[in-house]
């Protein structure tokens, strides 16, 4: 009964490929997030959705496109992968925007671009 | 510019001692500050939240202080155990619903 799950756990791919990471939460939360953690361990927000509506869209290349088919799912699609995209990507959720202060994170997806 | 700074060097202490980790921030006026724990290969786990009008918050062996004048939060683990070894991240709310994280401090508790 994992609260926030992500697939795959590891993703190794060649430059130029397109890949997707899936995220699901079973907490009944309204708000979901994507974060990127680089090699220096900085955790930086990329996107946030509230009830399927895009709320935060950080300065992220438009090769990254989030999709929220329903409020329990937030997927991340990446086109034309580059070496600099290698990082760990975390999905997270919070109850709603007014209670965004407590976030529940998934286990992360380690993306390696060769 | 806005910054959140945590000591990048690992904190190495003996079991049973109190661990104290520091989080300093500049050019923010957060309404609250949070602490998370992150184990290798896992996502961060929420530990404690302290609001700007609270000086101190406790949860079992954990204690957090928040000094808005110094722009600093201290995170204490008393009677530390090897199982407390992890990276601890502080986070505060930036603009527009964003949670901004520090880079974390790694804690190693020796048996």
């Amino acid at each position: 009964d994992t609260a926030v799950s992500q697939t795959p756990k590891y993703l190794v791919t060649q430059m130029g490929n397109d890949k997707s990471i899936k995220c699901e939460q079973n907490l009944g939360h309204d708000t979901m997030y994507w974060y990127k953690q680089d090699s220096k361990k900085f955790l930086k927000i990329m996107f946030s959705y509230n009830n399927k509506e895009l709320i935060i869209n950080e300065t992220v290349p438009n090769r990254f496109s989030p999709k929220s088919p329903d409020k329990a799912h937030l997927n991340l699609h990446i086109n034309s992968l580059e070496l600099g995209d290698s990082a760990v990507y975390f999905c997270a959720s919070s109850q709603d925007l007014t209670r965004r202060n407590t976030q529940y994170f998934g286990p992360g997806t380690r993306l390696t671009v060769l | 510019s806005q910054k959140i700074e945590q000591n990048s060097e690992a904190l190495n202490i003996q079991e049973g001692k109190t661990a104290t980790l520091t989080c300093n921030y500049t050019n923010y006026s957060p309404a609250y500050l949070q602490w998370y724990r992150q184990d290798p290969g896992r996502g961060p786990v929420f530990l404690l939240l302290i609001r700007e009008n609270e000086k101190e918050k406790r949860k079992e062996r954990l204690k957090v202080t928040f000094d808005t004048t110094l722009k600093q939060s201290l995170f204490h683990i008393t009677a530390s155990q090897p199982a407390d070894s992890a990276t601890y991240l502080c986070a505060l709310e930036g603009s527009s619903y964003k949670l901004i994280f520090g880079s974390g401090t790694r804690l190693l508790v020796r048996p």
Side-chain angles (χ1 to χ4, degrees), chain A residues 42-98:
Chain A
F42 275 104
L43 196 61
K44 193 170 177 191
I45 188 151
M46 300 172 68
F47 301 103
S48 169
Y49 271 73
N50 186 64
N51 259 324
K52 303 194 297 175
E53 181 186 348
L54 182 65
I55 300 297
I56 296 171
N57 185 349
E58 277 297 275
T59 312
V60 175
N62 57 16
R63 299 182 294 103
F64 289 79
S65 52
K67 281 196 171 51
S68 182
D70 56 61
K71 72 176 194 177
H73 296 84
L74 181 61
N75 303 322
L76 184 64
H77 188 77
I78 316 169
N79 288 328
S80 304
L81 278 154
E82 299 178 357
L83 293 176
D85 297 332
S86 295
V88 182
Y89 292 84
F90 287 100
C91 177
S93 72
S94 64
Q95 190 160 356
D96 51 42
L97 277 179
T98 60

Side-chain angles (χ1 to χ4, degrees), chain B residues 24-96:
Chain B
N24 294 301
Y25 59 92
T26 52
N27 294 322
Y28 284 106
S29 297
Y32 58 83
L33 188 144
Q34 303 178 58
W35 284 88
Y36 286 76
R37 170 183 172 143
Q38 187 173 21
D39 290 283
R42 294 179 172 254
V45 174
F46 171 78
L47 294 175
L48 277 169
L49 178 149
I50 186 166
R51 300 189 188 281
E52 60 180 338
N53 59 352
E54 297 174 315
K55 294 292 183 194
E56 183 179 296
K57 198 84 169 275
R58 290 175 187 261
K59 179 183 174 183
E60 296 171 353
R61 293 183 297 110
L62 308 180
K63 184 178 89 170
V64 171
T65 62
F66 191 12
D67 189 326
T68 54
T69 303
L70 288 179
K71 296 188 182 294
Q72 181 181 79
S73 175
L74 298 178
F75 177 80
H76 306 272
I77 306 176
T78 57
S80 61
Q81 304 165 0
D84 296 326
S85 298
T87 296
Y88 291 87
L89 307 168
C90 70
L92 50 81
E93 187 175 20
S95 57
S96 308

Side-chain angles (χ1 to χ4, degrees), chain A residues 5-12 19-23 34-37 76 78 85-91 106-112, chain B residues 41-43:
Chain A
S5 58
Q6 294 178 230
T7 53
K9 174 85 173 160
Y10 300 96
L11 190 50
V12 181
K19 290 292 177 187
S20 291
I21 307 171
K22 295 188 175 183
C23 178
W34 276 111
Y35 286 86
K36 179 180 180 180
Q37 189 169 45
L76 184 64
I78 316 169
D85 297 332
S86 295
V88 182
Y89 292 84
F90 287 100
C91 177
T109 295
R110 181 174 292 278
L111 171 64
T112 304
Chain B
R42 294 179 172 254

